[in-house]
Amino acid sequence: MDSIHMYGGNFLRGEVKIQGSKNAVLPIMAAALLIKGTCVIKNCPRIADVYLMQNLLQELGCLVTWSENTVTIDASNVIDSAMSGESVSSMRSSVMLLGAMLGRIGEVFMAYPGGCVIGKRPIDLHLSALKEMGVEIMEQEHFFTAKVGRLKAMDYTLPFPSVGATENIILAAVLAEGTTTIRGAAKEPEITALCEFLRAAGADIEGAGEQTVVIKGVKELRETRYTVPGDRIVAGTYLIGALAAGGSIFLEKAPSEHMKALLKPAAQMGGTITINKGGVGIDVIRRLEAIPYLKTEVYDGFPTDLQSPIMAAMAVAHGDSVLEETIFENRFRIVDELRKMGADIRTEKNKAYISGIERLKGAVVEAEELRGGAALVVAGLEAEGETVIKNRHFIERGYEDICRDLRNLGADINIR
Ligand code: EPZ
């Protein structure tokens, strides 16, 4: 039952509503810990990673309730500072609880976060920044403890614009003593969303989404409500799906202003893009053109989370494409799976050389992580015959219901 079965070749047609952003809502759920009361988060995607974060919050003493896509978190009583290794190591974003717990109760005991197989993913940047804020960190093999009286502000330059480290510093700084300045901060839209949520709760933050973020510590935060923006990576995946399969679709609530780095190569490949207040549309009526060179970068460059999906589209484009991955050291894991479908791809260090073929052929393939799994669905939309994608649970970590959404656009896809 953990497989997706699909037959490729159908043009995609119609509209699909884009779910709330996974990478925005996870740090926002952690931020709820900083509020001695209740917050209401709307447009929250019902995905596995959100449920994992919910488990962690409940372990710490929070009450979490749902009504459709609205989650209510009551963090009045945080009763524990330790989280079980299993919950923490099953999800990278558990590290967000570090900054939030230090801000809330000044101590935390946790395992090192796990996550996808796309790279080593250390948390050294998180820990060195928090040490600058006066946090004492005792590291053991699989666990560490972090303790602090009151977090103290700092003027800190991040050596690399890490999304997670930027978010953790912000979470630690909102209740800290004094004004914290982060230089070289990550500028991803998910960080802007986190800051919007915190400001709605009374935080004093300037420069969200810019390289320099200034956070003036406040005494406490207040209860609040927030609506999560649409998920630019889910929207991007479906847009690339239409590139590969052909057709005409509209992505309702897609955050077009955050998708520029994708819309440009999508137009180069032959898609006709329409943007309006309601979302993003794409029409694809002829065979795709290759992209001579595309590299992943921090925002607002081409997102690494769409690297695998666009590789699947490049596999059937007319001509040769080169993809360079600059963020994660092990994110070409789907190449072998695409080769099982007939793709002509070779890799050298962090570059992939893709020679487009007329058409992929269906095969039994395996998802090993979230975005790679979604990319195999993109390949299956285009492929001749049946494609079976095993380990769909990886895809459900970030896509609420990829089969439902694509079936609504005319794809022949279901789980079995
Ligand atoms: C966030 O991960 C996203 N996850 C990732 O999306 C995304 O790929 C990534 O940002 C880059 O855009 C969430 O928001 C939950 P980083 P994060 O810290 O915060 C290295 C998806 O598919 N690094 O910016 O972990 C790190 O190893 C996921 O939705 C250190 O060396 O990303 C990586 O090579 C996958 N030390 C690079 O920096 C550190 O302390 C970028 O990591 C921290 C990071």
Side-chain angles (χ1 to χ4, degrees):
M1 278 302 282
D2 189 23
S3 299
I4 289 176
H5 291 246
M6 51 193 309
Y7 288 85
N10 294 8
F11 274 1
L12 299 186
R13 293 203 186 291
E15 288 204 12
V16 61
K17 180 168 172 286
I18 298 300
Q19 65 182 65
S21 164
K22 166 180 90 77
N23 292 346
V25 79
L26 292 172
I28 286 172
M29 290 175 78
L33 277 171
L34 294 164
I35 298 167
K36 291 183 181 155
T38 298
C39 62
V40 177
I41 303 170
K42 293 186 154 190
N43 197 30
C44 182
R46 284 183 170 264
I47 53 176
D49 276 12
V50 162
Y51 296 134
L52 284 169
M53 184 61 89
Q54 172 178 348
N55 296 346
L56 285 164
L57 291 171
Q58 287 166 326
E59 271 185 36
L60 295 168
C62 296
L63 300 177
V64 182
T65 51
W66 285 87
S67 153
E68 291 174 1
N69 283 85
T70 297
V71 65
T72 300
I73 301 171
D74 180 351
S76 308
N77 301 311
V78 172
I79 51 163
D80 204 337
S81 65
M83 290 167 269
S84 68
E86 201 199 318
S87 320
V88 169
S89 48
S90 61
M91 177 179 63
R92 168 86 192 176
S93 305
S94 53
V95 73
M96 288 305 127
L97 295 164
L98 179 56
M101 285 294 280
L102 289 169
R104 175 66 186 256
I105 59 170
E107 69 171 270
V108 63
F109 173 82
M110 63 188 291
Y112 288 97
C116 298
V117 291
I118 56 180
K120 288 200 208 64
R121 308 190 77 176
I123 58 168
D124 54 319
L125 299 178
H126 300 241
L127 300 183
S128 38
L130 291 169
K131 283 179 188 160
E132 286 292 312
M133 299 182 82
V135 179
E136 215 189 308
I137 299 190
M138 277 78 65
E139 301 198 56
Q140 292 152 46
E141 197 185 349
H142 300 299
F143 290 86
F144 65 92
T145 51
K147 272 202 172 125
V148 66
R150 173 126 194 238
L151 286 150
K152 64 178 175 45
M154 59 174 182
D155 187 323
Y156 189 79
T157 303
L158 269 170
F160 176 83
S162 150
V163 174
T166 302
E167 291 168 338
N168 242 333
I169 299 170
I170 291 170
L171 289 167
V174 281
L175 297 177
E177 205 164 355
T179 300
T180 295
T181 302
I182 312 173
R183 302 179 197 281
K187 302 187 288 181
E188 271 67 7
E190 294 75 28
I191 292 170
T192 307
L194 172 63
C195 293
E196 283 170 359
F197 170 81
L198 289 166
R199 286 165 65 120
D204 183 339
I205 305 174
E206 297 294 331
E210 292 163 29
Q211 271 190 333
T212 303
V213 183
V214 178
I215 307 115
K216 223 186 250 138
V218 295
K219 284 233 166 338
E220 61 177 4
L221 297 178
R222 58 175 177 264
E223 299 189 333
T224 191
R225 310 172 68 81
Y226 182 74
T227 301
V228 180
D231 193 312
R232 64 190 171 106
I233 304 298
V234 170
T237 305
Y238 293 166
L239 189 135
I240 294 170
L243 276 176
S248 168
I249 66 171
F250 186 76
L251 306 166
E252 197 196 324
K253 298 215 179 289
S256 56
E257 68 285 9
H258 300 153
M259 298 172 66
K260 295 198 180 88
L262 167 65
L263 299 180
K264 191 160 159 260
Q268 275 175 290
M269 293 181 94
T272 306
I273 309 288
T274 46
I275 293 175
N276 65 34
K277 326 211 249 15
V280 177
I282 185 168
D283 289 76
V284 184
I285 50 171
R286 55 186 171 78
R287 183 169 176 203
L288 296 183
E289 287 304 321
I291 300 264
Y293 174 70
L294 184 66
K295 77 169 174 181
T296 65
E297 293 173 282
V298 295
Y299 190 81
D300 55 0
F302 187 85
T304 173
D305 295 344
L306 290 175
Q307 180 258 97
S308 301
I310 206 156
M311 181 190 279
M314 287 170 166
V316 292
H318 177 248
D320 295 342
S321 305
V322 178
L323 254 182
E324 181 173 359
E325 172 59 50
T326 71
I327 308 293
F328 289 103
E329 68 275 18
N330 197 9
R331 206 162 202 180
F332 286 149
R333 303 180 72 89
I334 63 158
V335 170
D336 289 345
E337 300 309 303
L338 287 176
R339 282 198 192 120
K340 287 181 192 165
M341 301 176 78
D344 179 355
I345 305 174
R346 70 181 174 83
T347 60
E348 219 173 285
K349 296 202 181 89
N350 68 336
K351 284 201 179 117
Y353 300 87
I354 303 123
S355 299
I357 61 168
E358 279 290 331
R359 190 147 193 220
L360 295 172
K361 58 183 190 325
V364 178
V365 291
E366 292 204 23
E368 290 181 287
E369 39 88 17
L370 169 60
R371 306 302 174 185
L376 294 174
V377 172
V378 168
L381 287 170
E382 189 280 329
E384 195 164 7
E386 183 181 27
T387 297
V388 178
I389 302 164
K390 293 185 171 175
N391 308 328
R392 75 180 157 90
H393 62 273
F394 284 115
I395 301 171
E396 289 163 354
R397 295 192 63 151
Y399 298 78
E400 207 171 56
D401 194 337
I402 199 166
C403 293
R404 170 202 63 199
D405 290 347
L406 292 173
R407 231 184 353 262
N408 289 345
L409 294 173
D412 181 346
I413 180 169
N414 57 62
I415 54 177
R416 244 189 284 142

